[in-house]
Amino acid sequence: AAPRAHNACRLLARRTHGFYARDAGVAYRKNLGLLRKIMCQESTKFKNVWTTHSSSPIAYERGRIYLDNYQYCISSIAQEPRILYRKPKCSKSEKIEDALLLECPLGEMLPSPSDYKPSLIVLTVRNWLLRLLADSGEILEKIYLDGLYCRFRYLSWDTPQEVMVVKSAQNKLPAAAQQAGVQESVLFYLAVFRVLPLSFIGMLEINKKIFGNSVTDVAVSNGILIVMHSMGLVRLYNFQAISEQFMEQTFDLGHEFNWNGQRGIVGKYPFGLPCNIKITDTPPLLFEASSLENAFQIGGYPWHYIITPNKKKHKGIFHICSLKDNALARNGIQEMKCCSLEPDWIYFHPDMSGRIIHVGPNLIKVLKLKEVKNNTDQIEVAEDFTIVANRENCVNNAVTVTASGRVVKKRLNLLDDDPEQETFKIVDYEDELDLLSAVAVTQIGADGRAHLDFHCNEHGILLKSIPLLESWDVTYSHEVYFDKDLVLHIEQKPNRRFSCYVYQMVCDTAKEDECSSHEKTERVFRKKGGRIFEY
């Protein structure tokens, strides 16, 4: 009996750490590993299965393509566009300002069966917060935010899939009131919710009298209230401590309330939500830093932050400093030293490894933080690996010799991000397949060509390259999504013309030469649900 008990204890211990062999998560990880191997095989290709165009912005969320201001939803999983739902055209007063995809948490009991299905939280122009079933558009919940204070415009996560923040546009007085000398002290309103089930935490105002006259923007992220100022100053406060200290009264959605002489139901029209977090004194400051254009990031292990010194001449220079004591890490000044129209960019790697990604026109550097040898109190920035653009065919000689023997010197050199040279435009991370993806573009004349490369996230080795068949104009706005076996390219052209190109993984080698060719092939146009699709 003793060995059986011992084995049972070991099994339970492994289960608590996620090591149970029959667990659904283990099977899912194995399947993703197989998918990655199949996808990186030479015989596997990505085929442009269909394309559509729109006069309004196109959005993508987890296998769903949204058009016509989220009134039209298509599944991107099938080889042909499958319409999930199509709603009648909405009026301007019902226009959706912003949206977030909400997916149910694992291992929790939820009050309604519909809570276990993916839903879309949308914010309308008239301050309505709606929760829609992602695959049908059915309204599951409807909350009225406010009819008195402001216009809410932005949705974001404080804690992803747990705590959501609704932010107002900056509060500005009408021109007549400004001319009359009236001053508005409240700049922004923030409404904070827990999700699934949706519950109201509180609403607060960002007031000049508390935070200063120079406030330009505000955000809440990972329990931190971030306040940005016009001179590049960024200040951090503990949002949890603020809500506990200045909360006047808690309110539950759907319950009656009597607040400042108003009676109504929380979250119902016309009263909406009360502003129940009243900050009457400046909260304790956690941290502050000065950075060009308020650019400020925290990450790494141990905790570090990235800023650019607050002078225009330092644009493109990044300082990596310890959050503990503000000490600059050894080799903590990172600069690409490139001459380009578009600036390089830097950010903490989203894979939670604590590494840093620094992207320039022809270089992707993955950096890591590590202890200095023989000095464990100091951290240095070291290069983990580098990805270099393919510029083997690029010839940029400063001196040329003519047929007659005359020496000609060029007065100007090409920029590092000149369209005629291969240049990195987008770098992203696919967390489920653990792949780093990069879009590289070369444009000669009006014809631009792009390819999406997949690199090993651990070592940076090139595993797969996918040519994008459509022409890529570097002057247009582009988004590329890589989602397991799907690649989606959304392009915005002038005059509000949008295009969406859907690529899917195929393994039929007999037909794949056609898929990867840039030659023009005959296209088929079909009409579905009132929209034209190109195959």
Side-chain angles (χ1 to χ4, degrees), residues 17-57:
H17 288 89
F19 292 123
Y20 185 43
R22 295 181 183 177
D23 183 75
V26 173
Y28 186 62
R29 284 192 294 273
K30 284 184 178 179
N31 288 341
L32 288 174
L34 289 172
L35 177 61
R36 172 174 160 149
K37 287 180 181 179
I38 293 169
M39 194 196 71
C40 293
Q41 287 176 354
E42 189 177 348
S43 59
T44 303
K45 309 292 180 181
F46 278 76
K47 179 182 179 182
N48 179 207
V49 288
W50 56 270
T51 299
T52 191
H53 309 279
S54 175
S55 58
S56 61

mmCIF file of all heavy atoms in Angstrom, residues 17-57:
data_model
loop_
_atom_site.group_PDB
_atom_site.id
_atom_site.type_symbol
_atom_site.label_atom_id
_atom_site.label_comp_id
_atom_site.label_asym_id
_atom_site.label_seq_id
_atom_site.Cartn_x
_atom_site.Cartn_y
_atom_site.Cartn_z
ATOM 1 N N HIS A 17 1.493 20.806 -11.047
ATOM 2 C CA HIS A 17 2.482 21.548 -11.831
ATOM 3 C C HIS A 17 2.231 21.425 -13.335
ATOM 4 O O HIS A 17 3.051 21.842 -14.143
ATOM 5 C CB HIS A 17 3.905 21.052 -11.511
ATOM 6 C CG HIS A 17 4.377 21.465 -10.163
ATOM 7 N ND1 HIS A 17 4.146 20.715 -9.036
ATOM 8 C CD2 HIS A 17 5.054 22.580 -9.745
ATOM 9 C CE1 HIS A 17 4.667 21.326 -7.978
ATOM 10 N NE2 HIS A 17 5.229 22.454 -8.377
ATOM 11 N N GLY A 18 1.085 20.849 -13.718
ATOM 12 C CA GLY A 18 0.737 20.771 -15.135
ATOM 13 C C GLY A 18 1.405 19.653 -15.891
ATOM 14 O O GLY A 18 1.578 19.739 -17.099
ATOM 15 N N PHE A 19 1.788 18.564 -15.216
ATOM 16 C CA PHE A 19 2.517 17.478 -15.869
ATOM 17 C C PHE A 19 1.681 16.220 -16.039
ATOM 18 O O PHE A 19 2.221 15.140 -16.198
ATOM 19 C CB PHE A 19 3.787 17.132 -15.070
ATOM 20 C CG PHE A 19 4.815 18.214 -15.090
ATOM 21 C CD1 PHE A 19 5.291 18.771 -13.910
ATOM 22 C CD2 PHE A 19 5.314 18.691 -16.286
ATOM 23 C CE1 PHE A 19 6.242 19.770 -13.929
ATOM 24 C CE2 PHE A 19 6.261 19.690 -16.307
ATOM 25 C CZ PHE A 19 6.723 20.230 -15.126
ATOM 26 N N TYR A 20 0.375 16.334 -15.966
ATOM 27 C CA TYR A 20 -0.460 15.150 -16.101
ATOM 28 C C TYR A 20 -0.548 14.765 -17.576
ATOM 29 O O TYR A 20 -0.966 15.550 -18.417
ATOM 30 C CB TYR A 20 -1.853 15.421 -15.525
ATOM 31 C CG TYR A 20 -2.766 14.212 -15.508
ATOM 32 C CD1 TYR A 20 -2.283 12.961 -15.111
ATOM 33 C CD2 TYR A 20 -4.095 14.323 -15.884
ATOM 34 C CE1 TYR A 20 -3.110 11.868 -15.090
ATOM 35 C CE2 TYR A 20 -4.929 13.227 -15.863
ATOM 36 C CZ TYR A 20 -4.433 11.996 -15.468
ATOM 37 O OH TYR A 20 -5.244 10.895 -15.450
ATOM 38 N N ALA A 21 -0.136 13.546 -17.909
ATOM 39 C CA ALA A 21 0.045 13.149 -19.315
ATOM 40 C C ALA A 21 -1.252 13.191 -20.103
ATOM 41 O O ALA A 21 -1.234 13.390 -21.320
ATOM 42 C CB ALA A 21 0.658 11.752 -19.384
ATOM 43 N N ARG A 22 -2.402 12.968 -19.440
ATOM 44 C CA ARG A 22 -3.676 12.956 -20.165
ATOM 45 C C ARG A 22 -4.369 14.313 -20.137
ATOM 46 O O ARG A 22 -5.507 14.435 -20.564
ATOM 47 C CB ARG A 22 -4.592 11.893 -19.549
ATOM 48 C CG ARG A 22 -4.065 10.471 -19.729
ATOM 49 C CD ARG A 22 -5.019 9.457 -19.133
ATOM 50 N NE ARG A 22 -4.485 8.106 -19.234
ATOM 51 C CZ ARG A 22 -5.086 7.024 -18.734
ATOM 52 N NH1 ARG A 22 -6.240 7.149 -18.090
ATOM 53 N NH2 ARG A 22 -4.538 5.838 -18.868
ATOM 54 N N ASP A 23 -3.700 15.291 -19.623
ATOM 55 C CA ASP A 23 -4.276 16.631 -19.548
ATOM 56 C C ASP A 23 -4.425 17.207 -20.962
ATOM 57 O O ASP A 23 -3.575 17.014 -21.823
ATOM 58 C CB ASP A 23 -3.356 17.527 -18.709
ATOM 59 C CG ASP A 23 -3.943 18.909 -18.541
ATOM 60 O OD1 ASP A 23 -4.880 19.055 -17.759
ATOM 61 O OD2 ASP A 23 -3.454 19.821 -19.219
ATOM 62 N N ALA A 24 -5.532 17.955 -21.181
ATOM 63 C CA ALA A 24 -5.793 18.521 -22.509
ATOM 64 C C ALA A 24 -4.688 19.473 -22.939
ATOM 65 O O ALA A 24 -4.330 19.547 -24.116
ATOM 66 C CB ALA A 24 -7.137 19.244 -22.506
ATOM 67 N N GLY A 25 -4.092 20.207 -21.968
ATOM 68 C CA GLY A 25 -3.021 21.138 -22.301
ATOM 69 C C GLY A 25 -1.792 20.450 -22.841
ATOM 70 O O GLY A 25 -1.127 20.958 -23.751
ATOM 71 N N VAL A 26 -1.470 19.250 -22.314
ATOM 72 C CA VAL A 26 -0.312 18.487 -22.798
ATOM 73 C C VAL A 26 -0.528 18.068 -24.247
ATOM 74 O O VAL A 26 0.355 18.212 -25.095
ATOM 75 C CB VAL A 26 -0.058 17.252 -21.908
ATOM 76 C CG1 VAL A 26 1.028 16.370 -22.506
ATOM 77 C CG2 VAL A 26 0.328 17.682 -20.497
ATOM 78 N N ALA A 27 -1.730 17.554 -24.535
ATOM 79 C CA ALA A 27 -2.055 17.131 -25.908
ATOM 80 C C ALA A 27 -2.013 18.326 -26.861
ATOM 81 O O ALA A 27 -1.520 18.218 -27.993
ATOM 82 C CB ALA A 27 -3.431 16.474 -25.937
ATOM 83 N N TYR A 28 -2.513 19.475 -26.389
ATOM 84 C CA TYR A 28 -2.525 20.663 -27.238
ATOM 85 C C TYR A 28 -1.107 21.116 -27.562
ATOM 86 O O TYR A 28 -0.805 21.459 -28.708
ATOM 87 C CB TYR A 28 -3.300 21.781 -26.527
ATOM 88 C CG TYR A 28 -3.517 23.017 -27.360
ATOM 89 C CD1 TYR A 28 -4.252 22.968 -28.549
ATOM 90 C CD2 TYR A 28 -2.987 24.236 -26.979
ATOM 91 C CE1 TYR A 28 -4.451 24.098 -29.321
ATOM 92 C CE2 TYR A 28 -3.177 25.376 -27.742
ATOM 93 C CZ TYR A 28 -3.911 25.295 -28.914
ATOM 94 O OH TYR A 28 -4.109 26.421 -29.679
ATOM 95 N N ARG A 29 -0.214 21.092 -26.554
ATOM 96 C CA ARG A 29 1.178 21.489 -26.797
ATOM 97 C C ARG A 29 1.861 20.535 -27.779
ATOM 98 O O ARG A 29 2.647 20.953 -28.628
ATOM 99 C CB ARG A 29 1.943 21.546 -25.472
ATOM 100 C CG ARG A 29 1.634 22.767 -24.630
ATOM 101 C CD ARG A 29 2.620 22.928 -23.490
ATOM 102 N NE ARG A 29 2.511 21.860 -22.522
ATOM 103 C CZ ARG A 29 1.678 21.853 -21.495
ATOM 104 N NH1 ARG A 29 0.841 22.863 -21.334
ATOM 105 N NH2 ARG A 29 1.659 20.845 -20.633
ATOM 106 N N LYS A 30 1.568 19.234 -27.661
ATOM 107 C CA LYS A 30 2.140 18.269 -28.598
ATOM 108 C C LYS A 30 1.644 18.541 -30.015
ATOM 109 O O LYS A 30 2.410 18.487 -30.982
ATOM 110 C CB LYS A 30 1.773 16.847 -28.175
ATOM 111 C CG LYS A 30 2.573 16.324 -26.988
ATOM 112 C CD LYS A 30 2.238 14.884 -26.691
ATOM 113 C CE LYS A 30 3.079 14.343 -25.542
ATOM 114 N NZ LYS A 30 2.730 12.919 -25.233
ATOM 115 N N ASN A 31 0.349 18.851 -30.145
ATOM 116 C CA ASN A 31 -0.214 19.140 -31.469
ATOM 117 C C ASN A 31 0.427 20.385 -32.081
ATOM 118 O O ASN A 31 0.691 20.437 -33.285
ATOM 119 C CB ASN A 31 -1.733 19.332 -31.368
ATOM 120 C CG ASN A 31 -2.458 18.024 -31.103
ATOM 121 O OD1 ASN A 31 -1.911 16.939 -31.340
ATOM 122 N ND2 ASN A 31 -3.670 18.106 -30.594
ATOM 123 N N LEU A 32 0.676 21.403 -31.250
ATOM 124 C CA LEU A 32 1.318 22.618 -31.750
ATOM 125 C C LEU A 32 2.748 22.334 -32.189
ATOM 126 O O LEU A 32 3.236 22.900 -33.176
ATOM 127 C CB LEU A 32 1.307 23.703 -30.678
ATOM 128 C CG LEU A 32 -0.047 24.349 -30.385
ATOM 129 C CD1 LEU A 32 0.053 25.309 -29.209
ATOM 130 C CD2 LEU A 32 -0.587 25.079 -31.604
ATOM 131 N N GLY A 33 3.428 21.436 -31.457
ATOM 132 C CA GLY A 33 4.781 21.040 -31.856
ATOM 133 C C GLY A 33 4.785 20.348 -33.202
ATOM 134 O O GLY A 33 5.653 20.606 -34.050
ATOM 135 N N LEU A 34 3.789 19.487 -33.438
ATOM 136 C CA LEU A 34 3.659 18.812 -34.736
ATOM 137 C C LEU A 34 3.344 19.821 -35.831
ATOM 138 O O LEU A 34 3.889 19.752 -36.939
ATOM 139 C CB LEU A 34 2.564 17.745 -34.668
ATOM 140 C CG LEU A 34 2.889 16.496 -33.835
ATOM 141 C CD1 LEU A 34 1.641 15.619 -33.690
ATOM 142 C CD2 LEU A 34 4.012 15.685 -34.482
ATOM 143 N N LEU A 35 2.448 20.771 -35.527
ATOM 144 C CA LEU A 35 2.086 21.788 -36.512
ATOM 145 C C LEU A 35 3.305 22.605 -36.914
ATOM 146 O O LEU A 35 3.514 22.897 -38.100
ATOM 147 C CB LEU A 35 0.996 22.698 -35.948
ATOM 148 C CG LEU A 35 0.554 23.864 -36.843
ATOM 149 C CD1 LEU A 35 -0.035 23.351 -38.154
ATOM 150 C CD2 LEU A 35 -0.450 24.750 -36.117
ATOM 151 N N ARG A 36 4.130 22.950 -35.947
ATOM 152 C CA ARG A 36 5.342 23.729 -36.242
ATOM 153 C C ARG A 36 6.267 22.936 -37.168
ATOM 154 O O ARG A 36 6.828 23.493 -38.122
ATOM 155 C CB ARG A 36 6.052 24.092 -34.939
ATOM 156 C CG ARG A 36 7.411 24.724 -35.156
ATOM 157 C CD ARG A 36 8.019 25.192 -33.869
ATOM 158 N NE ARG A 36 9.473 25.355 -33.999
ATOM 159 C CZ ARG A 36 10.191 26.235 -33.346
ATOM 160 N NH1 ARG A 36 9.617 27.070 -32.520
ATOM 161 N NH2 ARG A 36 11.500 26.292 -33.503
ATOM 162 N N LYS A 37 6.451 21.640 -36.909
ATOM 163 C CA LYS A 37 7.319 20.814 -37.756
ATOM 164 C C LYS A 37 6.768 20.725 -39.180
ATOM 165 O O LYS A 37 7.516 20.836 -40.150
ATOM 166 C CB LYS A 37 7.452 19.417 -37.157
ATOM 167 C CG LYS A 37 8.325 19.367 -35.913
ATOM 168 C CD LYS A 37 8.420 17.953 -35.357
ATOM 169 C CE LYS A 37 9.285 17.911 -34.095
ATOM 170 N NZ LYS A 37 9.358 16.539 -33.520
ATOM 171 N N ILE A 38 5.450 20.516 -39.303
ATOM 172 C CA ILE A 38 4.825 20.422 -40.634
ATOM 173 C C ILE A 38 4.962 21.746 -41.376
ATOM 174 O O ILE A 38 5.308 21.789 -42.563
ATOM 175 C CB ILE A 38 3.342 20.018 -40.508
ATOM 176 C CG1 ILE A 38 3.227 18.588 -39.967
ATOM 177 C CG2 ILE A 38 2.629 20.128 -41.852
ATOM 178 C CD1 ILE A 38 1.805 18.198 -39.564
ATOM 179 N N MET A 39 4.707 22.837 -40.670
ATOM 180 C CA MET A 39 4.733 24.154 -41.298
ATOM 181 C C MET A 39 6.124 24.503 -41.819
ATOM 182 O O MET A 39 6.268 25.147 -42.865
ATOM 183 C CB MET A 39 4.273 25.198 -40.290
ATOM 184 C CG MET A 39 3.947 26.542 -40.906
ATOM 185 S SD MET A 39 3.863 27.806 -39.661
ATOM 186 C CE MET A 39 5.583 27.939 -39.223
ATOM 187 N N CYS A 40 7.162 24.071 -41.112
ATOM 188 C CA CYS A 40 8.532 24.431 -41.495
ATOM 189 C C CYS A 40 9.126 23.486 -42.541
ATOM 190 O O CYS A 40 10.265 23.701 -42.982
ATOM 191 C CB CYS A 40 9.424 24.474 -40.257
ATOM 192 S SG CYS A 40 8.995 25.816 -39.117
ATOM 193 N N GLN A 41 8.380 22.452 -42.941
ATOM 194 C CA GLN A 41 8.869 21.562 -43.999
ATOM 195 C C GLN A 41 8.953 22.316 -45.326
ATOM 196 O O GLN A 41 8.150 23.201 -45.606
ATOM 197 C CB GLN A 41 7.944 20.355 -44.153
ATOM 198 C CG GLN A 41 8.051 19.350 -43.012
ATOM 199 C CD GLN A 41 7.048 18.214 -43.157
ATOM 200 O OE1 GLN A 41 6.212 18.234 -44.051
ATOM 201 N NE2 GLN A 41 7.142 17.221 -42.293
ATOM 202 N N GLU A 42 9.913 21.926 -46.135
ATOM 203 C CA GLU A 42 10.110 22.610 -47.423
ATOM 204 C C GLU A 42 8.897 22.446 -48.341
ATOM 205 O O GLU A 42 8.557 23.350 -49.107
ATOM 206 C CB GLU A 42 11.364 22.060 -48.101
ATOM 207 C CG GLU A 42 11.771 22.840 -49.336
ATOM 208 C CD GLU A 42 13.062 22.332 -49.949
ATOM 209 O OE1 GLU A 42 13.758 21.525 -49.287
ATOM 210 O OE2 GLU A 42 13.355 22.734 -51.079
ATOM 211 N N SER A 43 8.223 21.291 -48.260
ATOM 212 C CA SER A 43 7.084 21.024 -49.143
ATOM 213 C C SER A 43 5.827 21.785 -48.728
ATOM 214 O O SER A 43 4.878 21.896 -49.503
ATOM 215 C CB SER A 43 6.779 19.523 -49.162
ATOM 216 O OG SER A 43 6.473 19.064 -47.852
ATOM 217 N N THR A 44 5.795 22.321 -47.515
ATOM 218 C CA THR A 44 4.615 23.050 -47.042
ATOM 219 C C THR A 44 4.656 24.482 -47.559
ATOM 220 O O THR A 44 5.665 25.163 -47.443
ATOM 221 C CB THR A 44 4.557 23.045 -45.506
ATOM 222 O OG1 THR A 44 4.547 21.694 -45.041
ATOM 223 C CG2 THR A 44 3.311 23.753 -45.003
ATOM 224 N N LYS A 45 3.549 24.918 -48.119
ATOM 225 C CA LYS A 45 3.461 26.273 -48.665
ATOM 226 C C LYS A 45 2.278 27.002 -48.037
ATOM 227 O O LYS A 45 1.433 26.410 -47.379
ATOM 228 C CB LYS A 45 3.264 26.233 -50.194
ATOM 229 C CG LYS A 45 4.252 25.375 -50.948
ATOM 230 C CD LYS A 45 5.647 25.937 -50.924
ATOM 231 C CE LYS A 45 6.612 25.038 -51.710
ATOM 232 N NZ LYS A 45 7.986 25.551 -51.691
ATOM 233 N N PHE A 46 2.240 28.312 -48.267
ATOM 234 C CA PHE A 46 1.089 29.118 -47.869
ATOM 235 C C PHE A 46 0.460 29.694 -49.133
ATOM 236 O O PHE A 46 1.133 30.375 -49.912
ATOM 237 C CB PHE A 46 1.506 30.232 -46.907
ATOM 238 C CG PHE A 46 1.621 29.768 -45.483
ATOM 239 C CD1 PHE A 46 2.713 29.014 -45.076
ATOM 240 C CD2 PHE A 46 0.634 30.070 -44.560
ATOM 241 C CE1 PHE A 46 2.830 28.582 -43.768
ATOM 242 C CE2 PHE A 46 0.734 29.639 -43.248
ATOM 243 C CZ PHE A 46 1.838 28.895 -42.842
ATOM 244 N N LYS A 47 -0.808 29.405 -49.315
ATOM 245 C CA LYS A 47 -1.518 29.779 -50.542
ATOM 246 C C LYS A 47 -2.482 30.929 -50.267
ATOM 247 O O LYS A 47 -3.203 30.927 -49.262
ATOM 248 C CB LYS A 47 -2.292 28.567 -51.065
ATOM 249 C CG LYS A 47 -3.092 28.831 -52.331
ATOM 250 C CD LYS A 47 -3.858 27.582 -52.740
ATOM 251 C CE LYS A 47 -4.696 27.835 -53.989
ATOM 252 N NZ LYS A 47 -5.479 26.642 -54.374
ATOM 253 N N ASN A 48 -2.482 31.910 -51.165
ATOM 254 C CA ASN A 48 -3.455 33.008 -51.086
ATOM 255 C C ASN A 48 -4.816 32.460 -51.527
ATOM 256 O O ASN A 48 -5.112 32.362 -52.708
ATOM 257 C CB ASN A 48 -3.009 34.163 -51.983
ATOM 258 C CG ASN A 48 -3.978 35.337 -51.975
ATOM 259 O OD1 ASN A 48 -4.055 36.081 -52.942
ATOM 260 N ND2 ASN A 48 -4.732 35.521 -50.904
ATOM 261 N N VAL A 49 -5.658 32.093 -50.536
ATOM 262 C CA VAL A 49 -6.922 31.413 -50.857
ATOM 263 C C VAL A 49 -8.027 32.374 -51.257
ATOM 264 O O VAL A 49 -8.888 32.034 -52.059
ATOM 265 C CB VAL A 49 -7.385 30.527 -49.685
ATOM 266 C CG1 VAL A 49 -6.488 29.298 -49.556
ATOM 267 C CG2 VAL A 49 -7.419 31.288 -48.367
ATOM 268 N N TRP A 50 -8.038 33.574 -50.678
ATOM 269 C CA TRP A 50 -9.007 34.574 -51.120
ATOM 270 C C TRP A 50 -8.617 35.976 -50.658
ATOM 271 O O TRP A 50 -7.788 36.139 -49.770
ATOM 272 C CB TRP A 50 -10.428 34.235 -50.693
ATOM 273 C CG TRP A 50 -10.680 34.018 -49.225
ATOM 274 C CD1 TRP A 50 -10.601 32.839 -48.555
ATOM 275 C CD2 TRP A 50 -11.060 34.999 -48.249
ATOM 276 N NE1 TRP A 50 -10.900 33.021 -47.233
ATOM 277 C CE2 TRP A 50 -11.202 34.327 -47.020
ATOM 278 C CE3 TRP A 50 -11.301 36.372 -48.297
ATOM 279 C CZ2 TRP A 50 -11.567 34.976 -45.847
ATOM 280 C CZ3 TRP A 50 -11.663 37.036 -47.129
ATOM 281 C CH2 TRP A 50 -11.801 36.328 -45.926
ATOM 282 N N THR A 51 -9.240 36.954 -51.284
ATOM 283 C CA THR A 51 -8.967 38.368 -51.024
ATOM 284 C C THR A 51 -10.283 39.127 -51.040
ATOM 285 O O THR A 51 -11.190 38.780 -51.800
ATOM 286 C CB THR A 51 -8.032 38.946 -52.115
ATOM 287 O OG1 THR A 51 -6.798 38.228 -52.094
ATOM 288 C CG2 THR A 51 -7.765 40.422 -51.897
ATOM 289 N N THR A 52 -10.403 40.132 -50.201
ATOM 290 C CA THR A 52 -11.578 40.999 -50.265
ATOM 291 C C THR A 52 -11.154 42.441 -50.040
ATOM 292 O O THR A 52 -10.054 42.710 -49.519
ATOM 293 C CB THR A 52 -12.653 40.590 -49.234
ATOM 294 O OG1 THR A 52 -13.865 41.285 -49.514
ATOM 295 C CG2 THR A 52 -12.210 40.897 -47.804
ATOM 296 N N HIS A 53 -12.015 43.368 -50.442
ATOM 297 C CA HIS A 53 -11.723 44.795 -50.354
ATOM 298 C C HIS A 53 -12.869 45.506 -49.632
ATOM 299 O O HIS A 53 -14.000 45.016 -49.625
ATOM 300 C CB HIS A 53 -11.510 45.391 -51.748
ATOM 301 C CG HIS A 53 -10.515 44.630 -52.575
ATOM 302 N ND1 HIS A 53 -9.147 44.789 -52.447
ATOM 303 C CD2 HIS A 53 -10.686 43.675 -53.536
ATOM 304 C CE1 HIS A 53 -8.526 43.975 -53.294
ATOM 305 N NE2 HIS A 53 -9.438 43.286 -53.962
ATOM 306 N N SER A 54 -12.564 46.650 -49.034
ATOM 307 C CA SER A 54 -13.572 47.352 -48.251
ATOM 308 C C SER A 54 -13.292 48.849 -48.257
ATOM 309 O O SER A 54 -12.150 49.272 -48.426
ATOM 310 C CB SER A 54 -13.578 46.825 -46.813
ATOM 311 O OG SER A 54 -14.465 47.561 -45.994
ATOM 312 N N SER A 55 -14.345 49.626 -48.067
ATOM 313 C CA SER A 55 -14.183 51.078 -47.955
ATOM 314 C C SER A 55 -14.119 51.513 -46.493
ATOM 315 O O SER A 55 -14.051 52.698 -46.202
ATOM 316 C CB SER A 55 -15.351 51.787 -48.654
ATOM 317 O OG SER A 55 -16.582 51.368 -48.074
ATOM 318 N N SER A 56 -14.154 50.543 -45.565
ATOM 319 C CA SER A 56 -14.034 50.836 -44.132
ATOM 320 C C SER A 56 -12.943 49.947 -43.548
ATOM 321 O O SER A 56 -12.585 48.924 -44.134
ATOM 322 C CB SER A 56 -15.365 50.596 -43.419
ATOM 323 O OG SER A 56 -15.761 49.248 -43.545
ATOM 324 N N PRO A 57 -12.399 50.302 -42.379
ATOM 325 C CA PRO A 57 -11.303 49.520 -41.785
ATOM 326 C C PRO A 57 -11.659 48.047 -41.593
ATOM 327 O O PRO A 57 -12.808 47.690 -41.321
ATOM 328 C CB PRO A 57 -11.067 50.216 -40.448
ATOM 329 C CG PRO A 57 -11.516 51.616 -40.660
ATOM 330 C CD PRO A 57 -12.684 51.524 -41.594
#
